[in-house]
Amino acid sequence: MSKQAFVALVTCFNEDETINYAATRAQVRRQVEAGNNIMCAGTNGDFTALTFEEKVRLTEEVVDEVGGRVRVIVNAGMPATFETLKLAREFDRIGVDGIAVITPFFIACTQDGLVRHFSTVADAVTTPVYLYDIPARTQNHIEPDTARLLAGHGNIAGIKDSGGAKETLEAYLTVARDVEGFEVYSGPDHLVLWSLQNGAAGCISGLGNAMPQVLSGILKAYNAGDNAEAERQQATFTAFRTDLYALGFAPAMVKRALYLQDASVGASRQPALLPNAEQDGRIAEILSRYGLL
């Protein structure tokens, strides 16, 4: 089966910080035209700053705009199993292709607690559930042995690894090789091609918001067996990542880079990045260097 790229879609905002659904739909169309699938309400989508009702409507808008042309995964993860369940049931009703569940954040969890959390959600919906590991942000890590245990659940279809450590990604890939039907999607943008070459089902990329054609180019070249072209596209993607992420918090840098390309996406609700003329100039220079501005 062909490997697939997902973009962890930004959520677009108006000047008053209400969601700009029309602009978000435009970003969906942009990614679909590039050949990328969609993940919404994730880290790059400001999910921690969205209300319950906003997440539900956002998902409805995205699914409607996609119209079945690509796959849609949405993140339901919250610190409490109770709210995660409520969101997951709403997404199940809407009809997404997958429900990602980020590890609970703020609350320190045992591995047994994580097993109960993910299993409870997976038991409650018919949509396939994907574990979502990003310990630098949540302070909770899904150990490979825990992933292996959860992989045996009939409705847990895989894991998104955003930890950034190749060793952990290798351990999850070992689980995928041993457990039929369990998929690994890599999050780190510099490991897209490496993860594909080592058995990942695909990637879920934040950087693809600003560079959708290059992201899809990696996947298209790999799927076509053109390793030289895949390596070339990955080198461009990695270099852009290195330059942009050197300036600050990665999701904030992606959102600002996209804003400089298209102001309709708006700013972020998060306080991680305030408008700064000097920094905007540096981001614009990077965009220009890669032919993106």
Side-chain angles (χ1 to χ4, degrees), residues 258-275:
L258 189 56
Y259 175 85
L260 295 178
Q261 292 175 303
D262 179 359
S264 73
V265 301
S268 171
R269 277 183 179 172
Q270 308 284 13
L273 178 68
L274 297 175

Side-chain angles (χ1 to χ4, degrees), residues 210-221:
M211 201 177 246
Q213 298 293 346
V214 174
L215 173 63
S216 65
I218 298 170
L219 275 291
K220 288 173 184 175

Side-chain angles (χ1 to χ4, degrees), residues 72-119:
V72 177
I73 293 176
V74 59
N75 170 45
M78 290 296 289
T81 308
F82 178 81
E83 186 171 6
T84 304
L85 269 174
K86 286 184 65 179
L87 279 168
R89 287 179 172 132
E90 285 294 311
F91 301 152
D92 198 39
R93 171 188 62 80
I94 292 166
V96 297
D97 298 284
I99 298 172
V101 180
I102 198 168
T103 50
F105 43 97
F106 187 76
I107 305 299
C109 296
T110 64
Q111 294 300 299
D112 286 344
L114 291 178
V115 169
R116 179 182 181 277
H117 177 75
F118 290 118
S119 298

Side-chain angles (χ1 to χ4, degrees), residues 13 38 47 66 83 121 133-134 136 141 193 204 208 236 238 241 262 270 279:
F13 297 104
I38 304 294
F47 86 95
V66 164
E83 186 171 6
V121 177
D133 190 65
I134 182 169
H141 170 52
L193 183 56
I204 301 177
T236 299
T238 300
R241 172 189 183 273
D262 179 359
Q270 308 284 13
Q279 188 166 61

Side-chain angles (χ1 to χ4, degrees), residues 80 130 136 164 177 206 244 269 277:
Y130 291 86
R177 284 189 287 271
L244 184 63
R269 277 183 179 172

